[in-house]
Amino acid sequence: MASETPRDGRPTKPLLRVLDGEQVWPPPLWLMRQAGRYLPEYREVRARAGDFVTLCTTPEMAAEVTLQPIRRYGFDASILFSDILMVPWAMGQPLRFAEGEGPLLEPVRDAAAIGALRATGVAERAASIMETVRRVRAGLDAEAPRTALIGFAGSPFTVACYMVEGRGSKDFAAPRAMAHADPALFGRLIRMLTEATADYLVAQAEAGAEALMLFDSWAGLLPPAQFRRWVIEPSASLVRLLRKRLPTMPLIGFPRLAGPMLAEYAQRVGVQAVGMDTAMDPRWAAAAVADDMALQGNLDPQALIAGGPALEVEARAILGAMRGRPFIFNLGHGIEKTTPPEHVSALVRVVRSG
Ligand code: CP3
C-alpha cells in the first residue's frame, strides 16, 4: 500500500492537506453520493446486483462503483460505496431497500427490541465492507494516487432515527418522541450505536480509509437542548473512542440543517472539518467556525441539475466566500439522480480554474 504521508509527516494528497489545516487552492473537490444513479455505469452494476444490500456487501461490485466517478471525473476523494444503514444491518436489524420507497427496517421501539440488537462484532459482520475498502484503496494506489479514500458512517442520532422510525420520514416523529418520553431507552440505543460505529469506523481505517466522515442528516430536526444531548454529546463520545485507536485520523462531521448550532458542533465534537448543507450561508460559517478548521460544501444539487451560468455563478460565490481558509468543495446534499453527467464535468472545470 503506497503511503500518503512523506517523511516529514505532512500528507501530500490535496484533500488530506486541507484536513491537516492547510489552504490548498484551487480547493480539492468531491461530491456526496458521487457514485449513484445519475451515472449509466452505476445503473448497469446496480441492475446486475439486483438489490441494494447485495451491492453494498459484494466487494467486487461495491469497489467498482466506488471507483467509477474517479475514473470519469478525477475527484480528489473517493467515498466508500455503502450506506449509513449497514450499521443497523450488522447489528442484526433486518433491512431492505424497496423500489421507490427507500430503506425499510423492522422498527425498534421498546427495550426488548433494542436489547436484541448486537452492539459488538459489527466490524466482523461487516467484513465484506472492509474488503471493499481494501480493494478501493489498492485501486486508488494504482490508478489515482492523489485521490484520498474517505470511509464513513451515520452519526448515532441519524441512524437511531431510521432504526426507530423503520423508514425514511420528513420529521422522524417516533424517534423524536421517544427521545423526550423515554430518554433512558433512547440513550441506551444511542450508546450502543456509538460503540458499534466506533468499531466499524476503526475497521475501515485499518482496511485503508484515510479520512472518516460522520453523516448526521437529521440533526437539524432538534431544538438546541436536544441537539446538544443527542447530536453533540454522542458525536463527541464517538470521536473520543476513535481518538483512542486512531490518534491522527482526520474526521469530517456533517450535521445537516444545524443552522447556528454548527458553531457549537464545530467547537465541541472534535472533528477537523465540518460540512455545510445547502441552506448554510458560507460567509456565516466562515465567521462562526475557527479559521484553521476546514469547511466542506455546499453547492445546491439543483444548481448542478440546471447547469450553465446558474451553476457557474453559484459555484463561484462559494469559492469567493471560502478563499483564504482550508476548504473542500462539495455539494450541500447528495447529488440527484436526474443530474446530467456533463454538468458535473462543467463543475469540475469551474472549481479547478479557481
Ligand atoms: O456518497 C457516496 O457516494 C457514498 C455512498 C452513500 C450512499 N448513502 C449510497 C446510497 C452514502 C455516503 C450514503 C449515506 C446515507 N444513506 C445517508 C446520509 C446522507 C444523506 O443523504 O442524507 C442517508 C440518510 C442514507 C439512507 C438512505 N440510503 C436513504 C434514505 C436512501 C434512499 C434514498 C434514495 O436516494 O433512494 C438510501 C439509498 C442509497 N444509498 C442510494 C445510494 C447510491 C440509492 C439506492 C439505489 O441506487 O437504488
Side-chain angles (χ1 to χ4, degrees), residues 30-37 42 46 52 55-56 79-85 97 99 101-103 152 158 162 168 215-218 254 256 333-334:
W30 68 281
L31 304 180
M32 291 188 278
R33 295 268 184 102
Q34 62 193 17
R37 285 169 294 193
Y42 171 86
R46 175 78 177 77
F52 185 73
L55 177 54
C56 291
I79 182 161
L80 165 69
F81 188 86
S82 182
D83 197 86
I84 63 165
L85 300 179
F97 285 79
E99 194 61 49
E101 278 192 90
F152 74 91
T158 285
Y162 285 95
F215 286 88
D216 216 337
S217 304
W218 299 104
F254 181 42
R256 195 170 71 88
H333 197 191

Side-chain angles (χ1 to χ4, degrees), residues 91-229:
M91 290 171 83
Q93 188 176 17
L95 165 70
R96 66 195 176 88
F97 285 79
E99 194 61 49
E101 278 192 90
L104 296 172
L105 298 124
E106 241 159 66
V108 291
R109 297 201 176 167
D110 54 29
I114 290 172
L117 297 166
R118 292 181 289 179
T120 57
V122 160
E124 289 73 17
R125 283 189 296 280
S128 61
I129 294 172
M130 306 313 152
E131 176 58 19
T132 303
V133 175
R134 276 188 288 276
R135 287 182 188 219
V136 172
R137 182 63 194 278
L140 293 176
D141 287 349
E143 296 175 40
R146 288 173 63 77
T147 299
L149 176 53
I150 301 176
F152 74 91
S155 289
F157 174 69
T158 285
V159 176
C161 277
Y162 285 95
M163 293 176 82
V164 173
E165 191 74 38
R167 56 186 309 133
S169 162
K170 279 201 240 330
D171 59 1
F172 289 94
R176 289 196 298 122
M178 187 198 280
H180 284 291
D182 194 347
L185 184 62
F186 194 68
R188 185 172 165 210
L189 176 59
I190 291 284
R191 275 193 305 281
M192 289 172 83
L193 277 167
T194 304
E195 279 166 35
T197 304
D199 286 346
Y200 178 73
L201 288 171
V202 167
Q204 289 184 38
E206 287 170 353
E210 298 165 290
L212 298 171
M213 178 156 164
L214 296 173
F215 286 88
D216 216 337
S217 304
W218 299 104
L221 292 175
L222 297 175
Q226 295 276 294
F227 187 100
R228 291 186 185 102
R229 183 168 187 180

